[in-house]
């Protein structure tokens, strides 16, 4: 791992991962390859922008020429592929972009890697790696009493987002099987933490609560997610890159499964505690049940025995501490938040998603 191309490095997890990688590896070059869609934000990397080991290359994963140029120019030996359309609600209102970015974009990345590493350079396969970052949503939804998903669980994606990620996982696996492209895949549960785009549940709830706005809970709020602090996810990916077996997939999860309503109530209680004089306390009074997400998955639960047994990974953050840190991070980064929230695209999305609920 010398010259690493991180796709989607200006997004939530990608930006945290680049920071993590620069902290963990001394002799490394990290190229952030990102199209800067609505979800990409270079301000999330302002603290490391001047690091000589880091550089930004604006580019689209669907554009073959741009991808090829980045691989050649920086002599990339490792690709960590985060770039994607990631919001389930957006995939319901506009699925096409998900197929284009997540399926065709991943295909373009795979073709470019195969051509550069295996055909042109004839690189020893132990020297290169395509790491694909995927999601637990490919497994569908668990009924009460069903066991947590393992790496052997058959895929059953329910949303256009999940289906597009499942397709991309299959493509990656097929490039390993057919062409011998060295790859690893991680399927991770819901992340939270610093720099998460403020259209996902946790930042929406924190920011609305601070302003005394309604806290939208879809349906009955009893849907269960498996929450993981983003730093723990970054550590897991780094471990898989350094010690994971080529050709393997690994599940990553937070080892906790609260209902969405519990998450929302916990954030309200944290704000009551750290802002005792807030005119909006008790913040739980702001909770508003709204129309459910169509096809809403009920429950996720990841079995993480493989990554803990093989690589010794465990999440370090408890949900309680992680949520407190996250609330404090959003409180202490008002400029980062307002630079996104003032954009027309953001306001348009919030209206489109919430006004008719
Ligand atoms: P995000 O939406 O915050 O960021 C996505 C990034 O990808 C943005 O910087 C965007 O500009 C970039 N991008 C989008 N289309 C692109 C294109 N065509 N070319 C180049 N760049 C493009 O996403 P995130 O939440 O950080 O998720 C990153 C990855 O992790 C995704 O693959 C997602 O499926 C996966 N994942 C996310 C979670 C989660 O909870 N957020 C959990 C498991 C897996
Ligand atoms: O499970 C991993 C996935 O987690 C990732 O693959 C996705 O990229 C990521 O966006 C996330 O998907 P979710 O749909 O689970 O995340 P979101 O934050 O949108 O929603 C979390 C839960 O909260 C979900 O059950 C829907 C619910 N929700 C969401 C929003 C935005 C609400 O109740 N109210 C809301 O306003």
């Amino acid at each position: 791992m010398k010259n690493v191309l991180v796709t989607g490095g200006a997004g939530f997890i990608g930006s945290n991962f680049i920071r993590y990688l620069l902290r963990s590896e001394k002799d490394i070059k990290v190229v952030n390859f990102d199209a800067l869609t609505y979800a990409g934000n270079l301000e999330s990397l302002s603290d490391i922008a001047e690091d000589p080991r880091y550089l930004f290359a604006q580019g689209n994963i669907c554009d073959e020429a741009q991808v090829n140029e980045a691989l050649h120019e920086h002599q990339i030996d490792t690709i960590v592929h985060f770039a994607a359309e990631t919001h389930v609600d957006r995939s319901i209102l506009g699925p096409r972009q998900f197929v284009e970015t997540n399926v065709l974009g991943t295909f373009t990345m795979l073709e470019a890697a195969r051509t550069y590493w295996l055909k042109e350079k004839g690189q020893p396969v132990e020297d290169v790696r395509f790491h694909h970052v995927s999601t637990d949503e490919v497994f569908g939804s668990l009924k009460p009493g069903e066991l947590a998903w393992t790496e052997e669980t058959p895929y059953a994606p329910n949303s256009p987002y999940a289906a597009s990620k499942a397709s991309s996982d299959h493509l990656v696996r097929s490039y390993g099987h057919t062409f011998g492209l060295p790859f690893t895949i991680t399927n991770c549960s819901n992340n939270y933490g610093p720099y998460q785009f403020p259209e996902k549940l946790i930042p929406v709830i924190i920011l609305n609560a601070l302003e005394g706005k309604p806290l939208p809970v879809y349906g009955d709020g009893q849907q269960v997610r498996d929450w993981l602090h983003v730093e723990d996810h970054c550590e897991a990916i780094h471990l898989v890159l350094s010690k994971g077996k080529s050709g393997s997939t690994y599940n990553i999860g937070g080892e906790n499964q609260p209902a969405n309503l519990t998450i929302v109530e916990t954030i309200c209680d944290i704000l009551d505690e750290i802002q005792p004089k807030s005119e909006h306390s008790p913040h739980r009074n702001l909770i508003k049940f709204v129309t459910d997400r169509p096809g809403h998955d009920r429950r996720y639960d990841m079995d993480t025995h493989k990554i803990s047994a093989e690589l010794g990974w465990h999440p370090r953050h408890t949900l309680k501490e992680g949520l407190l840190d996250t609330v404090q991070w959003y409180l202490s980064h008002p400029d980062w938040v307002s630079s996104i929230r003032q954009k027309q695209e953001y306001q348009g999305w919030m209206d489109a998603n919430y006004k008719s609920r």
Side-chain angles (χ1 to χ4, degrees):
M1 187 162 44
K2 289 192 190 107
N3 299 328
V4 182
L5 188 87
V6 176
T7 71
F12 164 45
I13 309 174
S15 60
N16 278 285
F17 180 74
I18 289 175
R19 197 171 288 106
Y20 186 92
L21 200 55
L22 291 172
R23 258 199 335 258
S24 311
E25 301 277 341
K26 274 201 185 110
D27 298 320
I28 199 161
K29 174 159 106 180
V30 182
V31 180
N32 175 8
F33 186 82
D34 197 299
L36 297 183
T37 68
Y38 80 91
N41 185 356
L42 289 179
E43 285 176 38
S44 304
L45 292 154
S46 54
D47 55 329
I48 53 107
E50 302 304 323
D51 189 316
R53 298 169 300 160
Y54 166 79
L55 64 95
F56 173 64
Q58 185 158 3
N60 192 319
I61 57 165
C62 300
D63 186 318
E64 201 182 321
Q66 288 177 356
V67 175
N68 280 332
E69 190 187 324
L71 295 187
H72 285 85
E73 185 181 342
H74 304 293
Q75 298 185 34
I76 295 300
D77 53 62
T78 306
I79 294 171
V80 188
H81 180 38
F82 290 95
E85 289 293 334
T86 65
H87 192 178
V88 174
D89 292 319
R90 286 189 189 245
S91 84
I92 295 166
L93 289 186
R96 177 176 293 277
Q97 192 61 49
F98 285 70
V99 175
E100 282 172 4
T101 302
N102 299 358
V103 184
L104 293 178
T106 302
F107 165 72
T108 307
M109 293 301 306
L110 287 164
E111 264 300 281
R114 171 168 93 95
T115 307
Y116 179 50
W117 290 337
L118 305 185
K119 285 197 200 161
E120 288 174 20
K121 290 191 95 176
Q123 193 125 354
V125 289
E126 58 277 12
D127 291 352
V128 294
R129 175 74 64 85
F130 189 103
H131 181 74
H132 180 59
V133 180
S134 192
T135 171
D136 58 356
E137 304 212 2
V138 298
F139 296 119
S141 183
L142 287 164
K143 296 199 175 65
E146 276 185 331
L147 291 180
W149 295 312
T150 72
E151 289 78 1
E152 309 305 319
T153 305
Y155 278 22
N158 287 322
S159 70
Y161 162 69
S164 67
K165 290 296 291 187
S167 309
S168 65
D169 294 9
H170 291 319
L171 279 170
V172 175
R173 193 183 154 277
S174 79
Y175 268 64
H177 186 83
T178 305
F179 303 118
L181 187 80
F183 77 91
T184 36
I185 300 176
T186 43
N187 292 88
C188 186
S189 60
N190 282 66
N191 283 216
Y192 68 95
Y195 301 104
Q196 185 163 31
F197 193 81
E199 67 181 10
K200 302 285 175 80
L201 177 70
I202 288 178
V204 164
I205 297 302
I206 296 171
L207 298 173
N208 280 16
L210 285 172
E211 292 178 344
K213 290 185 181 160
L215 309 182
V217 173
Y218 294 170
D220 63 2
Q222 292 309 308
Q223 307 83 5
V224 169
R225 297 292 181 267
D226 186 336
W227 294 95
L228 180 73
H229 193 278
V230 64
E231 281 262 337
D232 288 328
H233 188 185
C234 294
E235 184 180 0
I237 293 172
H238 184 238
L239 261 179
V240 169
L241 279 172
S242 345
K243 297 189 187 149
K245 234 170 59 202
S246 180
S248 291
T249 76
Y250 296 89
N251 282 359
I252 306 171
E255 294 173 10
N256 64 71
Q257 295 89 27
N260 288 345
L261 184 58
T262 308
I263 290 279
V264 175
E265 288 173 343
T266 307
I267 293 170
C268 291
D269 297 348
I270 290 172
L271 283 171
D272 290 350
E273 208 175 307
I274 64 177
Q275 300 210 310
K277 291 192 182 142
S278 164
E279 55 179 313
H280 308 305
S281 287
H283 290 86
R284 285 186 185 211
N285 288 347
L286 299 168
I287 292 174
K288 186 177 174 206
F289 292 93
V290 299
T291 308
D292 208 351
R293 173 185 279 175
H296 201 170
D297 286 337
R298 198 65 181 167
R299 183 166 75 90
Y300 299 163
D301 187 0
M302 289 296 255
D303 182 328
T304 57
H305 279 97
K306 181 176 173 184
I307 191 167
S308 50
E310 259 188 42
L311 307 180
W313 177 86
H314 294 281
R316 293 179 195 273
H317 294 76
T318 64
L319 185 59
K320 205 165 169 227
E321 291 159 3
L323 279 178
L324 175 60
D325 283 356
T326 305
V327 170
Q328 278 165 337
W329 188 88
Y330 279 93
L331 278 170
S332 59
H333 290 76
D335 293 346
W336 184 89
V337 170
S338 64
S339 73
I340 294 171
R341 287 173 107 205
Q342 73 198 11
K343 289 193 181 129
Q344 222 174 4
E345 201 283 341
Y346 178 77
Q347 288 162 11
W349 165 254
M350 294 304 271
D351 285 351
N353 192 38
Y354 292 104
K355 275 220 165 126
S356 58
R357 279 205 139 92

